[in-house]
Amino acid sequence: MVAAVRVHTHGGPEVLKFEDIEIPAPGQGQVKLKQHACGINFIDTYFRMGAYPSPVGMPFVAGNEGAGEVIAVGPGVTDLKVGDRVGYVAPLGGYAAERLLPADRAVKLPDNISYEQAAGMMLKGMTAQYLLNRTFKVGRGTTLLMHAAAGGVGLILCQWANHLGATVIGTVGSEEKAELAKKNGCHHTILYRKEDFVAKVKEITGGKLCDVVYDGVGKTTFPASLDCLHPLGYFVSFGSSSGQIDAFNINILQQKGSLFATRPTLNHYAAKREDLNAIAADLFDKVGSGAVKIPVQQKYALKDARKAHEDLEGRETTGASILIP
Ligand SMILES: NC(=O)c1ccc[n+]([C@@H]2O[C@H](COP(=O)([O-])OP(=O)(O)OC[C@H]3O[C@@H](n4cnc5c(N)ncnc54)[C@H](OP(=O)(O)O)[C@@H]3O)[C@@H](O)[C@H]2O)c1
């Protein structure tokens, strides 16, 4: 038996139950991992609440990101062996001392990437990678707005966008978060709980507005985010930490300047093994070179997953949070 955090009924952080579970031997195409660190992400709260359906039914082990060592290999797995260090993003099963993982979702970790870094970046860092390089190609001369710039995806994306030569504007919930975002590559911060962020973006850009807005906040920043874009700009809605955006009339994109809008997810960008490898390799390269640092700001014991969710949803956290089994 191993320790795990399971959800038996949908609800608030209180439905996260710390219990012992049995992990069977790995089946066809699977490996068994001893986990050294488990990532915490906002998506974990969507599964917990039932906003995203569990692909494995109920009860389920929460968590979608982690890192550990291979301790058993199932039939048909040829590219991994016992002792390999891996990180992953995969639906559910993450908050546990051990887990089964489809081998085709495991990414071997370079020696210079620690388990804690990997658990803090596989989901958030690979998301920043595809958002900046594929969803919209950010480079020298790009002006972008990143909402929740001091968050898990936020701090990584700000550093990376700065490294690519962009002008980075970020919204944040407090003065402390503004300081942290600035230390992590954000050129301009906006306290969006107090200030009108559209007016501030106009002021900062001298009226030119942004090429792209990365919005993981959702309900409370829409549709104002569209007013931060110049004509033909890109609205990238990649999450909904404040709740989902209500249905809207697509004509609004024409009215606000023939805008483009997309709702991307890492699952699709990394669905093919070669894409997963390429995204992870770029992330490892940026972290290995020091261009991007992985800000693991909160560490909790596995049994304290409930507290970790309370802090995340209460806007108390910055950067990445991890659980230590
Ligand atoms: N599409 C993808 O591929 C993908 C992948 C990873 C993550 N995501 C999304 O990216 C977003 C960020 O994820 P994360 O794990 O890095 O979380 P996070 O940004 O560390 O935490 C969420 C932050 O959102 C802000 N926020 C604004 N309104 C909020 C509210 N009503 N309740 C709670 N938080 C609120 C808070 O920052 P302030 O206090 O500064 O406002 C909070 O710290 C989420 O929407 C997540 O679903 C998407």
Side-chain angles (χ1 to χ4, degrees):
M1 302 287 269
V2 299
V5 176
R6 286 204 294 185
V7 172
H8 294 258
T9 53
H10 294 130
E14 70 285 353
V15 304
L16 295 170
K17 301 294 179 200
F18 183 63
E19 8 185 79
D20 284 335
I21 61 166
E22 198 79 60
I23 308 283
Q28 183 73 28
Q30 291 181 324
V31 293
K32 191 190 243 192
L33 293 190
K34 174 179 162 50
Q35 301 216 103
H36 289 265
C38 324
I40 297 176
N41 292 280
F42 225 90
I43 191 174
D44 306 351
T45 71
Y46 309 148
F47 279 112
R48 193 204 68 218
M49 290 185 284
Y52 286 6
S54 157
V56 294
M58 303 289 272
F60 63 83
V61 175
N64 300 277
E65 176 185 41
E69 65 186 280
V70 176
I71 56 170
V73 176
V77 176
T78 53
D79 52 350
L80 288 173
K81 59 181 187 325
V82 170
D84 280 347
R85 301 168 71 249
V86 300
Y88 66 87
V89 173
L92 304 182
Y95 296 178
E98 294 180 9
R99 69 162 300 157
L100 297 178
L101 183 73
D104 65 1
R105 292 290 99 190
V107 181
K108 280 189 200 167
L109 297 177
D111 292 342
N112 62 345
I113 302 289
S114 71
Y115 287 125
E116 294 192 3
Q117 279 177 312
M121 76 179 189
M122 293 304 292
L123 204 165
K124 292 169 271 286
M126 291 205 293
T127 297
Q129 198 283 343
Y130 84 78
L131 289 176
L132 293 170
N133 293 285
R134 285 175 67 196
T135 308
F136 184 90
K137 188 96 185 106
V138 167
R140 201 157 293 283
T142 304
T143 299
L144 67 86
L145 175 66
M146 174 68 189
H147 284 303
V153 178
L155 287 184
I156 296 175
L157 190 139
C158 287
Q159 293 177 71
W160 202 321
N162 182 306
H163 174 73
L164 291 170
T167 298
V168 184
I169 307 171
T171 58
V172 288
S174 69
E175 299 279 3
E176 296 73 32
K177 289 187 177 188
E179 276 307 302
L180 187 64
K182 282 200 178 123
K183 280 190 190 136
N184 284 271
C186 193
H187 297 101
H188 308 274
T189 54
I190 302 171
L191 295 169
Y192 62 169
R193 293 173 92 164
K194 286 199 243 164
E195 298 175 314
D196 173 347
F197 71 81
V198 177
K200 288 295 288 183
V201 166
K202 279 188 186 146
E203 186 188 313
I204 291 164
T205 60
K208 290 190 175 148
L209 302 176
C210 298
D211 303 300
V212 55
V213 174
Y214 291 110
D215 189 338
V217 171
K219 196 175 182 73
T220 58
T221 45
F222 188 84
S225 285
L226 302 181
D227 294 321
C228 299
L229 290 163
H230 59 60
L232 276 63
Y234 275 74
F235 174 59
V236 180
S237 168
F238 69 100
S240 43
S241 60
S242 69
Q244 294 198 357
I245 295 172
D246 291 328
F248 63 90
N249 185 335
I250 198 165
N251 288 337
I252 195 174
L253 300 178
Q254 176 262 326
Q255 289 154 12
K256 291 188 183 285
S258 300
L259 303 178
F260 295 86
T262 181
R263 185 18 183 128
T265 175
L266 176 64
N267 289 344
H268 296 129
Y269 281 82
K272 288 189 203 144
R273 179 74 212 192
E274 64 261 36
D275 288 332
L276 174 64
N277 287 344
I279 295 171
D282 194 13
L283 174 62
F284 295 153
D285 177 59
K286 294 296 174 294
V287 174
S289 73
V292 173
K293 299 200 168 45
I294 301 305
V296 177
Q297 299 274 107
Q298 295 80 215
K299 284 188 210 175
Y300 305 85
L302 182 61
K303 68 175 173 48
D304 296 328
R306 172 183 177 163
K307 165 87 172 113
H309 276 218
E310 285 167 353
D311 290 350
L312 184 63
E313 290 173 288
R315 307 171 78 161
E316 301 288 333
T317 63
T318 54
S321 303
I322 59 171
L323 297 170
I324 305 296

